[in-house]
Amino acid sequence: MIDFTELQPYLDDQGRVTRWPSKRNRARVQTLVLWYLAEKFAAGRTYTECEVNQLLNEHHTFCDPALLRRELFEHGLLQRERNGSAYWLPPKETA
């Protein structure tokens, strides 16, 4: 289980991300934000780009789902079709 305590300054009272952490915090807090948002997606489900944007918009307030979608993909937390028509969580690794 990931400890999201460090994200509290970035969350409103409804648990939505209110701002993208600065580059100074990139390695630590930005990654935590991405893990936090990735947990909002259902395993085994495929999402359209529109559905991904809608889900992200429900969980952040700074109006940039494209940034979040791109970062989730670049960090390997979401996978997608080459043309961006479908997104899904990567399969969980088994030990």
Side-chain angles (χ1 to χ4, degrees), residues 10-44:
Y10 297 89
L11 302 177
D12 67 10
D13 59 350
Q14 296 176 348
R16 297 175 301 184
V17 180
T18 58
R19 67 186 188 276
W20 185 237
S22 69
K23 287 186 180 184
R24 175 174 55 97
N25 293 324
R26 183 173 186 88
R28 188 179 73 250
V29 182
Q30 284 186 0
T31 301
L32 278 174
V33 166
L34 295 173
W35 278 98
Y36 178 77
L37 292 172
E39 286 192 346
K40 309 302 181 191
F41 291 86

Side-chain angles (χ1 to χ4, degrees), residues 22-83:
S22 69
K23 287 186 180 184
R24 175 174 55 97
N25 293 324
R26 183 173 186 88
R28 188 179 73 250
V29 182
Q30 284 186 0
T31 301
L32 278 174
V33 166
L34 295 173
W35 278 98
Y36 178 77
L37 292 172
E39 286 192 346
K40 309 302 181 191
F41 291 86
R45 177 169 174 207
T46 300
Y47 297 84
T48 65
E49 183 176 302
C50 183
E51 290 171 324
V52 171
N53 290 344
Q54 182 179 4
L55 190 141
L56 291 172
N57 283 333
E58 291 173 11
H59 297 286
H60 87 288
T61 62
F62 56 90
C63 301
D64 199 347
L67 165 79
L68 297 172
R69 191 180 64 245
R70 184 174 54 250
E71 291 290 330
L72 285 163
F73 173 72
E74 288 178 4
H75 282 80
L77 299 173
L78 274 184
Q79 293 181 338
R80 69 174 186 181
E81 291 292 337
R82 201 174 184 107
N83 66 3

